[in-house]
Amino acid sequence: MKSLAFLLLFLGLFWAGDSEVVRWQTPTEHDFGVVQRNESVTYGFVFQNISDEPIVIENIRYTCGCTAPDWTEAPIEPDSSSTINIRYKWHKKGYFRKKIKVFVSGQRKAEVLYVEGEVLE
C-alpha cells in the first residue's frame, strides 16, 4: 500500500510540471512577409502568466545567429503580461522559418514560437 501511495505522489509531482503557466495573447507564429537583405525586423510575442505564482523565462533557444530574442529576466507576477521580442536579420536571399523554444519556470515543456518570411536581394 505504501508503494502505491508513493507512486501516486510521484506521478502527481511529475504531471504537475506539465501544466501550462502561460497563455499567449498574440499568435505563436509570425510572418514578417517580404524583407530586404540585411534588414533587421522585430516582432513582440505577448504572453500572460496564468499560474498562481510568479514565473520567469529561464532560457530561450533558437536555431541560428540571425535570430535574437530579448526578454525581461524579472519575475512575471500572476495575471501579468510580458513580451518576448524576436529580432531577425539575414544576409541570404530566400524563404526562412525559424523555431524559438521558450523555457518557463514551473513548466516542463518548452513553449514554441516561429518566425518566417522571405528575404529579397
Side-chain angles (χ1 to χ4, degrees):
M1 198 60 155
K2 278 186 173 180
S3 60
L4 178 60
F6 177 76
L7 178 62
L8 291 174
L9 176 64
F10 173 77
L11 290 175
L13 292 173
F14 177 76
W15 281 317
D18 279 346
S19 62
E20 293 184 4
V21 297
V22 300
R23 176 181 305 126
W24 293 97
Q25 297 176 324
T26 56
T28 56
E29 297 188 22
H30 178 71
D31 186 348
F32 285 114
V34 176
V35 297
Q36 297 299 316
R37 191 167 62 99
N38 295 322
E39 177 185 4
S40 180
V41 290
T42 303
Y43 181 76
F45 291 96
V46 180
F47 65 94
Q48 179 184 13
N49 176 358
I50 59 171
S51 75
D52 296 332
E53 301 290 328
I55 61 170
V56 294
I57 303 296
E58 294 178 338
N59 193 12
I60 297 181
R61 293 188 187 151
Y62 43 96
T63 55
C64 75
C66 57
T67 308
D70 181 40
W71 71 96
T72 181
E73 294 181 12
I76 299 124
E77 296 297 324
D79 295 322
S80 294
S81 295
S82 188
T83 302
I84 298 170
N85 290 304
I86 303 297
R87 183 175 51 85
Y88 182 82
K89 183 177 183 180
W90 191 240
H91 308 290
K92 294 183 182 177
K93 179 181 171 183
Y95 172 78
F96 66 88
R97 179 172 171 87
K98 300 299 176 183
K99 181 178 185 178
I100 301 110
K101 289 185 174 182
V102 179
F103 295 88
V104 182
S105 64
Q107 185 171 304
R108 291 174 41 100
K109 184 179 173 186
E111 296 285 331
V112 180
L113 307 172
Y114 292 94
V115 292
E116 66 182 321
E118 180 81 23
V119 177
L120 295 180
E121 196 80 33

